[in-house]
Amino acid sequence: MPVPVPQQRSVPAAETSYGADLTLLVIEDDPAGTFTVPELPAAAGTRVRIRTARNLTEAGRLLTDDVDCVLLDLALMSGGEARTPRGEEADGLATLKHVLRIAPRHAVLALMAQDDLESAAEAVRVGAQDYLFRDELDGKLLSRTIRYAVERKRADVAQHQLTESRLRAQENARLERGLLPTPLLNGSDLRFAARYRPGRSRALLGGDFYDTVRTPDGTVHAMIGDVCGHGPDEAALGVELRIAWRALTLAGLCGDELLSTLQQVLEHERESEEIFATLCTVDIAPDGRRAGLCLAGHPAPLIARQGRAAQLLPYEDGGPALGLLPRARWPRRQVELGGSWSLMMYTDGLIEGRIGDGTQRLGQDGMVAMINRQLAEGLTGEELLEAAVTHVRELNGGELTDDVAVLLLERDQEVVRRPARNGDRGRSIPRPCPGQVSPAGAQRPPL
């Protein structure tokens, strides 16, 4: 005769594992009494505690978080329980579906008549973890089936959560990738390259932002900025500022007027008055030999002219970061670029990395020295930016915690003078054709 299982402490379903106690809720209307199972052998290390419900209403009350498994007698067809919630005549599978709805996180076993293989297969198809035949049921079989059903349910739930997590990650990646800038440089003689690394793990966007567009008069406008902070709210604000900058630039605004309008956008969109953003804008004349520079609390760009060492552009006349002073002004400074040059714009994530185990930072001077060494090695374009970001990470001893954005514009006077030929398209410094960006400045900058 089966022996009732002794009372044991209940264990929450989320914490149970092989060898721990399990709680079984039996839903059956057997008038003979409580459903029991024999005590498991000591080697199994698992004991089962039984709860019994005579109908679905009572089962809903007893179905608490510490229940690990539900055993449903498909012959439960008495009284008001013989109807589904919609009032239709119920059968065993309709009852099973109702239990699956009220117990989505629990393993469910179906108990049925002997050799009813068709109903058994259908029960598993609609969601039960396993089935048992009433005439073959014994304590050892039931105990083993309960353990397997609980583990299968955990695996199903974990797989479902993993799938949902992957789908969310893919959707977020598509969304963030769609928010990255597409340079508009059609018809320009400049080469474009960029590197972007958000400080947040598993993210494509951070608080840093950049963009480059060419207006109908032939002027190339470039911008790079940094919203304080590294979370998704800062990333969203950075995207808003970038889109606003592009719209205002294409509308003809420049210099102080453009930055003043961007500050209004920032003040309206930020969550608190403590949020600010640094910004650097450059507008390069159609002939490519001079540019206007505006700094709003941002590090000055680095320029390398042909035959001369790289150096920082003047930064004494810069204004405050956007969002700090309500009536601030940002003077526009004219700078001479020359015939052949490379202009690198960056965020402070590139210069604030540590050097070794100490507290010393790379800083602007260290960055200038690093870039000069890499230029001496013949690096340009994408290779130069990749080498710079990689070296900064190595100096830091690992991943940088701050967002990093680097933008590079290059002009080679010899290439500009030389007429475009089919044979030039595969050279290291090609001239972009109308409607096309050079290989170094792909439409979607790699991460």
Side-chain angles (χ1 to χ4, degrees), residues 26-48:
V26 180
I27 307 176
E28 52 87 29
D29 59 353
D30 181 10
T34 304
F35 191 89
T36 60
V37 296
E39 184 175 347
L40 295 177
T46 302
R47 295 177 182 272
V48 180

Side-chain angles (χ1 to χ4, degrees), residues 10 50 236 246 344 428:
S10 61
I50 301 299
R246 173 175 286 199
M344 190 179 83
S428 60

Side-chain angles (χ1 to χ4, degrees), residues 232-371:
D233 294 333
E234 289 76 12
L237 182 56
V239 171
E240 292 181 79
L241 292 176
R242 179 186 67 78
I243 295 175
W245 175 86
R246 173 175 286 199
L248 294 171
T249 300
L250 293 176
L253 274 67
C254 185
D256 180 75
E257 186 180 9
L258 187 150
L259 269 65
S260 298
T261 308
L262 278 181
Q263 175 159 279
Q264 295 180 36
V265 175
L266 171 65
E267 291 172 348
H268 286 293
E269 298 296 333
R270 63 185 178 184
E271 292 187 349
S272 68
E273 295 183 355
E274 288 74 24
I275 300 297
F276 63 90
T278 65
L279 194 70
C280 170
T281 67
V282 173
D283 54 280
I284 302 171
D287 62 6
R289 303 186 65 88
R290 62 189 184 279
L293 170 67
C294 287
L295 295 176
H298 200 88
L302 181 72
I303 186 167
R305 299 179 177 90
Q306 189 174 27
R308 297 164 59 181
Q311 62 182 5
L312 297 174
L313 287 178
Y315 52 86
E316 295 82 3
D317 297 333
L322 303 181
L324 292 183
L325 300 177
R327 290 179 294 275
R329 288 293 176 263
W330 296 272
R332 177 177 175 273
R333 180 163 186 163
Q334 189 79 7
V335 294
E336 294 296 327
L337 301 178
S340 299
W341 47 264
S342 296
L343 182 68
M344 190 179 83
M345 305 166 68
Y346 54 93
T347 58
D348 58 7
L350 187 69
I351 59 177
E352 290 188 350
R354 300 182 183 276
I355 301 178
D357 298 330
T359 59
Q360 184 180 359
R361 307 281 183 173
L362 176 63
Q364 287 182 296
D365 292 339
M367 179 199 65
V368 172
M370 174 188 69
I371 295 298

Side-chain angles (χ1 to χ4, degrees), residues 8-18 20-26 46-51 62-71 103-109 129 145-154 157:
Q8 305 162 21
R9 73 176 184 89
S10 61
V11 181
E15 299 178 5
T16 55
S17 59
Y18 185 79
D21 295 347
L22 299 175
T23 299
L24 175 69
L25 175 62
V26 180
T46 302
R47 295 177 182 272
V48 180
R49 180 179 180 178
I50 301 299
R51 293 181 187 175
L62 297 177
L63 192 62
T64 55
D65 289 339
D66 61 331
V67 173
D68 299 281
C69 185
V70 178
L71 177 62
R105 297 186 300 273
H106 298 79
V108 177
L109 297 173
Q129 270 62 57
T145 304
I146 291 171
R147 292 199 305 272
Y148 291 169
V150 169
E151 294 303 323
R152 279 196 295 271
K153 183 63 178 181
R154 289 199 192 114
V157 170

Side-chain angles (χ1 to χ4, degrees), residues 138-184:
D138 59 40
K140 188 174 182 180
L141 174 62
L142 177 60
S143 300
R144 183 173 66 250
T145 304
I146 291 171
R147 292 199 305 272
Y148 291 169
V150 169
E151 294 303 323
R152 279 196 295 271
K153 183 63 178 181
R154 289 199 192 114
D156 291 343
V157 170
Q159 182 62 39
H160 180 70
Q161 292 175 343
L162 179 60
T163 301
E164 285 188 340
S165 177
R166 287 175 175 172
L167 290 175
R168 284 195 298 269
Q170 292 172 0
E171 291 174 358
N172 291 339
R174 285 194 297 269
L175 175 62
E176 294 184 7
R177 190 175 293 111
L179 295 175
L180 289 172
T182 300
L184 300 180

